[in-house]
Amino acid sequence: MTEVASLAGLFAAALLAATIVPAQSEALLVALIVAGDVAPWLLVAVASVGNVMGSVINWVLGRGLERFKDRRWFPVSPGALARAEGWYRRWGRWSLLLAWMPVIGDPLTVVAGTLREPLRTFVPLVAAGKVARYAVLALGTSAAA
């Protein structure tokens, strides 16, 4: 596999993994680090950019989501949406540092959009958590290899 193909695949996997589409980028990152064809710092950078961009997609979806909450097809119950909004209001924007976590991370980024968190604070907080996660994973993989 060429370096460009590896990076493009990792970017796509990381972007999809950050949206509501079920995907996993960590396994691919580890496999590419173990293969040793691409510098780990570049893999971490590409995965991080893709993952943050996926979270921005969620934020954009959240911005337009609320106007549909009364529709029958809306995928989240009013109670669940109210609980998520309450949780976000309680913990505030700093909870975006947890956007990398499985299960809660993706909905958290959607709720941030719904509650109109400014993009200028959203992106740095989400990026900090996601870069740290990939960096720790890369360091652990490199140390074990």
Side-chain angles (χ1 to χ4, degrees):
M1 187 181 306
T2 70
E3 184 174 319
V4 172
S6 296
L7 293 173
L10 180 60
F11 178 86
L15 187 133
L16 286 175
T19 65
I20 56 175
V21 175
Q24 187 180 19
S25 58
E26 293 86 357
L28 182 56
L29 175 70
V30 168
L32 291 172
I33 290 170
V34 169
D37 297 331
V38 182
W41 69 266
L42 184 56
L43 293 170
V44 168
V46 168
S48 298
V49 169
N51 214 240
V52 171
M53 287 181 70
S55 292
V56 170
I57 290 170
N58 289 346
W59 180 87
V60 169
L61 289 172
R63 296 281 295 201
L65 188 68
E66 192 170 14
R67 68 176 169 218
F68 299 113
K69 70 181 178 183
D70 296 328
R71 305 281 171 92
R72 172 180 274 187
W73 52 263
F74 192 72
V76 180
S77 71
L81 185 60
R83 281 191 301 278
E85 289 175 351
W87 189 85
Y88 188 82
R89 290 185 204 282
R90 178 177 179 196
W91 298 104
R93 65 179 42 127
W94 297 105
S95 64
L96 290 170
L97 290 168
L98 301 177
W100 62 270
M101 291 185 68
V103 181
I104 67 164
D106 299 341
L108 183 60
T109 58
V110 173
V111 168
T114 302
L115 294 176
R116 306 289 196 241
E117 182 66 46
L119 202 54
R120 69 181 177 274
T121 55
F122 176 87
V123 170
L125 289 171
V126 168
K130 290 180 180 266
V131 170
R133 181 229 3 224
Y134 283 126
V136 166
L137 189 58
L139 289 170
T141 302
S142 296

